[in-house]
């Protein structure tokens, strides 16, 4: 029975180590894999124990793993109805070999259908097999737990960059390890019955308090030691170049979106200008669902997209995406842009975005971010400064005259463009230096392409880091599903501020009220209009524009666990209590093992006497430090424990005196005899002293120095 229980605990250890990959893979996809990989090899080992030697059990278990993997993960056909085919074996082995590299280059968690989960199956299966065989074939107390420890270590290494924390799983793993030691070392069922609830309390305390400790919130990411492959660019026609074509086909159905939000839908972010065209410098990496950056910020909004005639690789979503569900989707971590790598028309996916809300007060005092790339205005082909740059600077200064803050300059720049020119969908395309100069100084007619590009260039001319966003208005429809067409295309600009991020501005005037003093922004959300009005409102006192020399660095928001909040103060005493309980559980057995395995026979005899004295304390018998000799302690113990204690205690006392003070050396037989007598005294103490008294003594600080 002790062996079977040990096997069960070994299986739980392997399963816990496998579930620690939560954050690397979705928990729902991980649970069946870890459960099968932890349970099946243990059952096989128990059934084959005594029938096959170890060298015969291992091949059978390996074959079992290949069958399980081919049937559950690769859905491969098998030979003879159950044996895995060559394709399944090759896929399984290559999956184990390549899984680590794929996981290190994927934004975690990996996709639910990712075959990289075969790595978890392999590691957990191997740990369960090794732990079970050690538990069945050896008497080592804690050694079976070591088989699953490398699996937990791999989970920690790979899961740091994912969501969630591995701390609760580590706490459960530690508790199961102590339970394994209790089961294999306990002398009676009563000891196990008392120890199991105590261990359960310890694990519960660790799971609750450990995540609140300051060091739990900032684990070291070992991926910093791994050279990451560069994100791959995705080439395609610039979305800004397609704006005019979409406007010329306003009824072309591009995609549908199911959402209750009125937010605009962002398609592409263009941050690089070469003098002729705007392009994107985004680099895309695979993602299993999570989109890093600004997590927890803004109001969550869910959108369900179905693509129709939308060209190019880009995928629309409300800014900023936090989670995405769909096949073949990659993401640019810097901008949150989404792109697809599979067939386009008919593709469906779901995005959860966090819609950020700004206040006029925080924007009035905002400082432009130090981002040289977002301020770059390129020279001409001959390396000279193009004359258009000087004209852009003059126009920008004229448009923002009187502005008292950087955000007010941006808001007035947008208002100037809306009043200065007419939104004409029939205007020719183009957004290079020459096209923008012609638009601003002569034609004063353009599409949303020219308005957004003009804002971005004028903003960079006066020191505001900017970029262009191409997207769509939310479309029209009923029943929660909106149809987005070509005529809904919209381009706007964003300006980057320190501590705030990229703030959108809408310089395109409405098609029905453009020019002639009209100042209604095309497609601007209600909040954007309210913020711009608040920024442009005259303040009672002039504000000095911050410069690079006197910019104040914004105070970052405190991270969870970084400050000594109530949870931390509560966690400190809880952690101290947990450490103490672990000490009183672990130190006495380790001390007894060290004494029993001492190198010299004399040291083993003295260790047996000291261990006996520690057991006598439980019965209330004084120790030699109370000025009693070994013989006096033996006589006093006889009066408490009965005549049965006379012979073992007397012999032990004589051996202890001989080992400590005698001229004749003691041998190995004397040492073995001393420890047998200790076992007899220990049994007598257990008979005389109740379980509650023994447990109270074990939890006493004196047990640490016995």
């Amino acid at each position: 029975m002790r062996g079977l229980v040990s096997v069960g605990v070994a299986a739980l250890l392997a399963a816990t180590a496998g579930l620690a990959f939560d954050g690397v893979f979705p928990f729902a996809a991980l649970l069946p894999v870890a459960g099968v990989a932890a349970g099946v090899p243990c059952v096989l080992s128990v059934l084959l124990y005594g029938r096959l030697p170890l060298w015969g059990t291992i091949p059978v278990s390996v074959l079992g793993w290949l069958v399980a993997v081919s049937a559950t993960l690769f859905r491969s056909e098998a030979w003879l109805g159950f044996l895995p085919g060559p394709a399944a074996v090759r896929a399984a082995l290559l999956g184990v070999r390549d899984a680590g590299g794929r996981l290190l280059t994927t934004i975690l968690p990996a996709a639910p259908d990712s075959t990289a989960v075969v790595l978890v199956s392999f590691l957990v299966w191997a740990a369960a097999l090794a732990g079970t065989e050690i538990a069945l074939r050896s008497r080592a107390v804690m050694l079976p737990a070591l088989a699953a420890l490398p699996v937990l270590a791999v989970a920690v290494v790979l899961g740091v960059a994912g969501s969630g924390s591995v701390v609760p799983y580590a706490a459960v793993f530690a508790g199961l390890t102590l339970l394994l030691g209790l089961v294999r070392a306990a002398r009676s069922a009563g000891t196990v019955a008392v120890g199991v609830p105590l261990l359960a309390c310890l694990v519960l305390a660790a799971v609750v308090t450990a995540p609140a400790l300051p060091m739990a919130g900032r684990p070291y990411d070992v991926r910093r030691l791994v050279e990451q492959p560069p994100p791959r660019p995705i080439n395609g026609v610039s979305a800004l170049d397609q704006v005019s074509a979409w406007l010329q086909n306003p009824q072309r159905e591009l995609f549908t979106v199911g959402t209750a939000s009125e937010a605009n839908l962002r398609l592409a972010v263009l941050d690089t200008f070469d003098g002729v065209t705007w392009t994107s410098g985004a680099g895309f990496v695979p993602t299993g669902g999570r989109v890093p950056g600004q997590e927890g910020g803004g109001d969550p909004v869910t959108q369900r997209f179905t693509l129709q005639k939308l060209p190019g690789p880009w995928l629309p979503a409300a800014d900023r995406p936090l989670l995405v569900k769909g096949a073949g989707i990659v993401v640019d971590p810097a901008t949150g842009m989404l792109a697809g790598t599979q067939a386009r028309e008919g593709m469906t996916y779901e995005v959860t975005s966090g819609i950020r809300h700004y206040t006029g007060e925080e924007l009035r005092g905002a400082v432009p971010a130090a981002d040289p790339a977002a301020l770059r205005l390129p020279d001409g082909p001959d390396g000279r400064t193009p004359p258009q740059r000087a004209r852009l600077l003059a126009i920008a200064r004229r448009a923002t005259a009187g502005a008292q803050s950087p955000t007010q300059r941006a808001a007035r720049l947008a208002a100037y463009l809306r009043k200065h020119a007419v939104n004409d969908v029939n205007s020719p395309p183009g957004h290079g230096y020459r096209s923008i100069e012609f638009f601003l100084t002569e034609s004063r007619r353009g599409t949303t392409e020219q308005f957004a590009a003009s804002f971005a260039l004028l903003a960079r001319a006066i020191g505001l880091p900017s970029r262009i966003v191409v997207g769509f208005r939310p479309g029209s429809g009923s029943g929660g599903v909106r149809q987005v067409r070509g005529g809904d295309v919209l381009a706007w600009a964003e300006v980057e501020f320190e501590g705030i991020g990229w703030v959108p501005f809408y310089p395109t005037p409405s098609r029905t009220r453009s020019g002639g003093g009209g100042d209604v922004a095309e497609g601007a959300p209600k909040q954007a209009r309210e913020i711009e009005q608040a920024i442009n409102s005259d303040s009672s006192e002039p504000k000095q524009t911050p410069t690079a020399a006197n910019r104040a660095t914004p105070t970052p928001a405190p991270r969870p666990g970084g400050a000594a909040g109530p949870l931390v103060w509560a966690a400190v005493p809880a952690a101290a209590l947990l450490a103490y309980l672990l000490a009183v559980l672990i130190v006495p057995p380790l001390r007894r093992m060290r004494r029993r395995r001492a190198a010299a026979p004399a040291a083993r005899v003295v260790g047996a006497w000291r261990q006996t004295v520690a057991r006598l304390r439980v019965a209330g018998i004084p120790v030699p430090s109370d000025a009693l000799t070994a013989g006096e302690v033996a006589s006093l113990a006889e009066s408490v424990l009965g005549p049965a204690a006379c012979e073992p205690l007397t012999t032990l006392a004589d051996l202890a005196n001989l080992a400590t003070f005698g001229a004749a050396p003691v041998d190995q037989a004397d040492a073995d005899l001393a420890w047998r007598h200790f076992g007899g005294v220990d049994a007598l103490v257990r008979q005389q002293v109740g379980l509650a008294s023994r447990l109270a003594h074990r939890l006493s600080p004196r047990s640490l120095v016995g």
Side-chain angles (χ1 to χ4, degrees), residues 183-422:
V183 168
R184 295 178 68 82
R187 294 180 177 272
S188 66
T191 303
V192 177
V194 173
V196 169
L198 179 60
L199 288 178
C201 293
L202 286 174
V203 172
L204 181 61
V207 170
V208 172
T209 60
L213 296 175
M215 69 286 296
R218 299 175 180 175
Y220 179 76
D221 189 357
V222 295
R223 292 187 177 209
R224 301 173 187 173
L225 305 177
V226 180
E227 184 178 355
Q228 296 287 331
R232 65 178 177 183
I234 293 182
N235 298 321
V237 178
S238 172
L240 197 59
D241 291 332
Q242 297 177 332
V243 169
S244 291
W246 283 328
L247 290 174
Q248 295 303 312
N249 295 276
Q251 297 305 315
R252 181 184 178 91
E253 295 180 343
L254 301 180
F255 59 89
T256 62
V257 54
T259 182
S261 172
E262 295 286 342
N264 288 329
L265 304 172
R266 186 176 64 165
L267 182 67
V269 176
L270 310 175
D271 51 13
T272 304
F273 181 61
D274 61 4
V276 178
T277 186
W278 285 85
T279 56
S280 173
F284 292 86
V285 295
T287 177
R290 189 170 63 94
V291 181
Q294 299 181 356
E295 295 185 11
D299 298 332
V301 171
T302 301
Q303 315 118 68
R304 297 173 182 86
F305 293 89
T306 300
L307 301 186
Q308 296 167 316
K309 300 294 183 180
L310 181 68
W314 327 117
L315 299 178
D319 189 38
R320 173 171 174 130
L322 302 177
L323 297 172
V324 58
K325 297 179 182 179
I329 295 180
V330 292
V331 62
D332 173 35
T335 64
M337 285 175 56
L338 304 179
T341 60
Q342 298 183 0
R344 299 282 296 180
E345 190 168 353
M347 176 182 177
T348 61
Y349 62 98
E350 181 178 305
V351 180
T352 300
S353 301
I355 306 299
R356 173 74 186 275
H357 293 281
Y358 307 95
T359 64
E361 188 61 33
E362 70 173 326
L363 291 177
R364 285 194 194 100
V367 176
D371 189 350
L375 289 170
R376 183 174 178 269
L377 290 172
D379 295 330
D382 55 0
R384 299 179 181 178
T385 302
Q388 292 89 352
R389 279 174 48 177
R391 299 189 186 101
L392 289 174
L393 178 59
I395 294 173
R397 287 176 175 174
R398 184 168 64 251
T400 59
Q404 300 173 2
S405 68
T407 52
Q408 196 172 81
R409 289 203 299 270
R412 291 194 177 184
L413 190 59
Y416 170 82
L417 289 172
R418 292 194 297 266
K419 296 178 182 179
H420 179 77
V422 176

